[in-house]
Amino acid sequence: MTSSRARQGLKSATGALAALSLGFASFTAMAETLGTLPTGKIVTPGTVTTTNPDGTVTTRPAPASASPAPVRPATVQPQAVRPSQGMTPVAEEGDPAASAKTGANPALNAGPQPIVPPGFGATSTSSGSAFPGGVDPSAQGVRALTPIPGRANSGIEMGELGGVDASAAGLIGSGDGGFGPDMWRGTTRADVDRNLASMPVATGSPIVNDLSRRLLLTSATPPEGQASGTSLLAARLDRLTASGRADLAAELGKSAQADRSPPVAIARAKAALALGQDAEACGELADIPAGNDPAHDDAAAFATRLSAFCQIQSGNKTAANLTLDLAREEGLDDPLFFSLAAQATDGLKLKAAEPKTSLGILDVRFYKLAKRDLPKTAGTIAVPAVVKTLSEDETLPPQTRIEAGERAAMLGLIEPQALAALYKLPSFKPDDLDNAKVGKFPASGALRRAVLYQAIDAEVLPTDRVDMMKQMFATGATGHVYLATVGVMLPMLSALQPSPAVKSIAPDAVRAFLLAGDRAHAQQWYALVVPANVASAGAGTGAPVLGREARELSALMRMSDPQGPGKLTDQIAAEIVADLKSGVADTQNFGASEAMLFDAFGQPLPPSILQALGSAPRSTGAPEALLNQLHNAGLHGSVGEVVLLSLVAIGPGGPDSADRQTVAQSVSSLRAVHLDGEARRLATEALMGRSHAGRG
């Protein structure tokens, strides 16, 4: 093992070479100009500064005949030493004018007072200013601080700049989908920090994806209380990138440039990498500390990997190799990283297993840098942040692009027509298209949907076309890309005229159009399944008259109504009771879910349903404490908290798999804060997840 002194020397060499490769000449020149002044101290022009033997610093007015020290204009930014307008010059001890101005304040008469130095990494060359974002702290007021011990007679005012809270930044307001500037009213910062980290952001649910995106983008006053973790802005940027919306994360990050804290810089770098903006990502290194424990500290590990990436990309292989040596010495265990870096620097391909479960943002960029082919499974294991980029990469095989494209479509990152174009990429033989008619498909689910799409597009017989469309919906559901499949198939469905000849696809069509929010088309197809005379035949009799498929579709049509599910009639109650007493678990779960959703929409449940609910299988959902908190948030009108807790309670599986009590409480609380449309969409998706009608 290398000695501690050797490791320190290696770090110093690596840092120096990295600084050269990234062009930090201005920072070096600034250090030379300021001499031995402590970091973050500001020198007032027109003064002479000396360092005392005890390490303290003394600054006095320069003699009238003294000439200013020469400054290297090519490397020093004038802004870096610009005095704040809020600085008050401190006169020498005994100056009568100063005594008159300072009055009876002994601290001012005795020596130095605090001044406001730059915050959020303002000494970094990235800001180009002595203050974050170029903002003069005098515009925001200077806090009165006590003298700093050991700095007597220095003539310099020093202090700490109050952090600029960029957490309020956002991209949308109340008029364009935001939840309002006071959405965190009544919510504690600790609760937001804790729940934001577990909030699902990349699901197959349109309503969950929509709510999470809007919550993260809303411009709002931050919640009250002490932060329990990283900055709220950094957490929001991370969650946006994790959802696949690196473009929105990058835009939000640029709107809050005042925050140069390391967590925010890391979040900005990840968003830039996901977008393929390597130069912007490398620029964030100025605000990311190197760290000294990449083996156990995720931030240090990311800084190490990004440093090596940027050094290799800039052509500084010597610095990159030193960084890699240091990473090994510090115990970083990442064989794939070292293998890709070695191939990118020296053309060596060290032995390393391909990733099997996850492919990260920086992994993808390193594969590109090393000019190595991505794993064949890249489309299915890549993190959501890069699936859109992979789907658009023309150098990748069609299967990889389709798999990435289906996931991107599930998250709403690409339009359905973009996925349709990907389905047309593979070149299938005529026999392959014919085989699709009889259920013979490629082993790959992505290629199966591609051949079906091409076969449907080429088919002229309506009946054969409809049969293959049903298979397309079925394979989309089993492949967990049903939402993406619906988007691709909607144009074909819309081109079909509802008629008895194509009645077999009516349940699929109702389900697809409801998921897309198109009740008009859904109603046309629903009329084929449940004619008006059948739907009203049992009115007032208390006896169910619908078959299973028609029963479930009728419930979905009610739940998706913009006016709400309507009145819980005797006929509907009888249908629910019949479900609960059926003894079939799926049927009981559907009936129990519908009953609880009626309750969430303010419809009291009759005794017959309340008694029958005991027959339904019990389900385990969100913790009771979380549901109670969600209930109280609705009572208090805390919009942001209701949305956040609803998403956390529902979980990453979305409304389809969430516990029925959890869904009902979420619907009730959303309605309490006047998000009625969102509550209706959530209820419809949840009930649809428990319905087998129209699943293909």
Side-chain angles (χ1 to χ4, degrees):
M1 295 290 291
T2 308
S3 68
S4 176
R5 181 175 298 177
R7 285 199 302 270
Q8 194 63 36
L10 186 56
K11 287 185 180 179
S12 300
T14 302
L17 288 168
L20 289 173
S21 67
L22 294 176
F24 293 155
S26 59
F27 182 84
T28 305
M30 186 185 299
E32 293 174 356
T33 304
L34 297 182
T36 58
L37 284 179
T39 302
K41 307 304 182 290
I42 299 175
V43 182
T44 305
T47 62
V48 176
T49 302
T50 57
T51 303
N52 302 318
D54 62 354
T56 61
V57 178
T58 301
T59 300
R60 300 179 181 277
S65 59
S67 301
V71 178
R72 302 175 184 176
T75 57
V76 178
Q77 298 294 329
Q79 302 97 307
V81 292
R82 183 184 61 192
S84 166
Q85 295 176 2
M87 299 178 187
T88 302
V90 180
E92 289 293 312
E93 183 178 359
D95 186 337
S99 300
K101 291 181 181 179
T102 58
N105 188 334
L108 285 178
N109 294 330
Q113 288 300 297
I115 196 172
V116 183
F120 287 128
T123 55
S124 164
T125 56
S126 63
S127 66
S129 168
F131 304 105
V135 178
D136 190 326
S138 64
Q140 303 179 13
V142 179
R143 296 184 297 148
L145 302 179
T146 57
I148 300 176
R151 294 291 187 267
N153 301 318
S154 70
I156 300 176
E157 295 183 25
M158 298 179 296
E160 298 297 328
L161 173 65
V164 179
D165 191 351
S167 299
L171 300 181
I172 60 176
S174 302
D176 45 5
F179 296 122
D182 62 343
M183 72 174 184
W184 295 122
R185 178 171 54 86
T187 311
T188 66
R189 175 63 185 273
D191 281 344
V192 173
D193 287 346
R194 181 180 65 257
N195 290 309
L196 201 61
S198 57
M199 181 185 79
V201 292
T203 73
S205 164
I207 181 60
V208 168
N209 292 342
D210 177 62
L211 287 174
S212 63
R213 177 185 61 83
R214 290 160 60 192
L215 187 74
L216 295 171
L217 292 178
T218 296
S219 176
T221 303
E224 297 181 357
Q226 186 68 30
S228 58
T230 186
S231 77
L232 184 57
L233 176 62
R236 292 165 64 200
L237 296 177
D238 276 335
R239 303 308 286 157
L240 280 169
T241 300
S243 73
R245 298 313 304 259
D247 55 337
L248 295 178
E251 188 176 351
L252 179 59
K254 289 178 181 177
S255 73
Q257 285 294 331
D259 193 335
R260 309 300 304 178
S261 61
V264 172
I266 290 175
R268 285 194 184 102
K270 289 180 178 178
L273 288 169
L275 297 172
Q277 298 171 355
D278 298 336
E280 287 81 353
C282 293
E284 296 294 338
L285 276 172
D287 296 309
I288 302 175
N292 58 4
D293 190 13
H296 304 95
D297 185 340
D298 290 341
F302 177 79
T304 299
R305 294 185 181 97
L306 181 59
S307 295
F309 176 83
C310 296
Q311 290 159 351
I312 296 170
Q313 193 184 59
S314 66
N316 197 336
K317 296 182 179 181
T318 302
N321 284 326
L322 286 173
T323 298
L324 296 173
D325 289 342
L326 179 60
R328 292 188 184 94
E329 174 66 21
E330 297 291 350
L332 179 61
D333 183 15
D334 191 343
L336 180 63
F337 160 66
F338 288 116
S339 176
L340 292 170
Q343 187 170 352
T345 52
D346 302 317
L348 301 176
K349 190 172 181 180
L350 304 179
K351 185 178 181 180
E354 296 281 15
K356 297 185 181 300
T357 58
S358 180
L359 188 66
I361 298 172
L362 199 47
D363 293 332
V364 172
R365 300 309 301 157
F366 258 111
Y367 268 98
K368 199 81 171 177
L369 192 63
K371 298 180 180 179
R372 185 188 299 184
D373 290 339
L374 287 171
K376 293 181 179 180
T377 57
T380 60
I381 67 172
V383 294
V386 297
V387 291
K388 181 177 184 290
T389 301
L390 295 183
S391 73
E392 297 170 345
D393 189 343
E394 297 181 356
T395 67
L396 297 178
Q399 181 176 334
T400 301
R401 294 183 63 187
I402 292 172
E403 290 168 344
E406 287 181 329
R407 295 177 61 204
M410 289 288 290
L411 301 176
L413 306 179
I414 63 174
E415 297 296 328
Q417 55 265 33
L419 179 56
L422 293 176
Y423 281 148
K424 295 179 180 180
L425 288 178
S427 298
F428 295 111
K429 299 176 181 179
D431 288 346
D432 296 326
L433 302 183
D434 290 337
N435 287 336
K437 296 181 182 181
V438 294
K440 294 182 179 180
F441 304 109
S444 162
L447 294 181
R448 176 179 303 182
R449 287 179 286 277
V451 71
L452 268 171
Y453 184 83
Q454 292 188 27
I456 294 169
D457 194 42
E459 185 55 57
V460 294
L461 291 177
T463 53
D464 288 350
R465 187 179 175 90
V466 163
D467 288 342
M468 287 189 290
M469 290 173 70
K470 292 178 63 176
Q471 291 186 65
M472 185 74 167
F473 283 120
T475 186
T478 57
H480 306 291
V481 290
Y482 179 74
L483 177 62
T485 307
V486 167
V488 166
M489 297 303 294
L490 279 180
M492 294 181 175
L493 273 179
S494 300
L496 279 178
Q497 184 66 31
S499 68
V502 291
K503 182 180 177 179
S504 63
I505 201 174
D508 301 82
V510 173
R511 187 184 187 93
F513 281 120
L514 285 181
L515 188 58
D518 187 350
R519 289 191 85 251
H521 275 95
Q523 184 65 52
Q524 294 176 13
W525 288 97
Y526 176 69
L528 287 177
V529 181
V530 186
N533 60 333
V534 175
S536 60
T541 67
V545 297
L546 301 177
R548 187 70 227 156
E549 197 165 60
R551 152 84 179 104
E552 293 182 359
L553 291 178
S554 64
L556 292 177
M557 290 298 296
R558 282 193 297 269
M559 202 59 63
S560 63
D561 193 308
Q563 304 305 317
K567 184 180 179 181
L568 180 54
T569 64
D570 290 342
Q571 178 183 345
I572 297 173
E575 292 171 356
I576 292 175
V577 170
D579 285 354
L580 294 173
K581 294 183 177 181
S582 67
V584 180
D586 287 344
T587 301
Q588 290 175 311
N589 191 29
F590 184 90
S593 297
E594 185 182 14
M596 297 187 73
L597 287 173
F598 265 110
D599 183 65
F601 277 100
Q603 292 286 317
L605 301 180
S608 60
I609 292 181
L610 293 175
Q611 293 173 2
L613 276 172
S615 304
R618 294 188 177 183
S619 58
T620 303
E624 184 177 355
L626 177 59
L627 295 183
N628 288 337
Q629 186 179 0
L630 175 56
H631 171 72
N632 292 331
L635 292 179
H636 298 146
S638 303
V639 182
E641 187 174 14
V642 164
V643 174
L644 177 58
L645 293 178
S646 294
L647 295 174
V648 172
I650 289 169
D656 281 11
S657 57
D659 166 69
R660 54 180 179 261
Q661 182 179 355
T662 298
V663 173
Q665 182 59 67
S666 299
V667 168
S668 177
S669 295
L670 287 171
R671 293 182 65 245
V673 294
H674 309 294
L675 294 177
D676 298 281
E678 290 81 355
R680 175 178 51 81
R681 290 167 57 196
L682 178 60
T684 303
E685 282 191 32
L687 197 58
M688 190 178 294
R690 290 149 179 79
S691 169
H692 293 274
R695 285 200 173 186

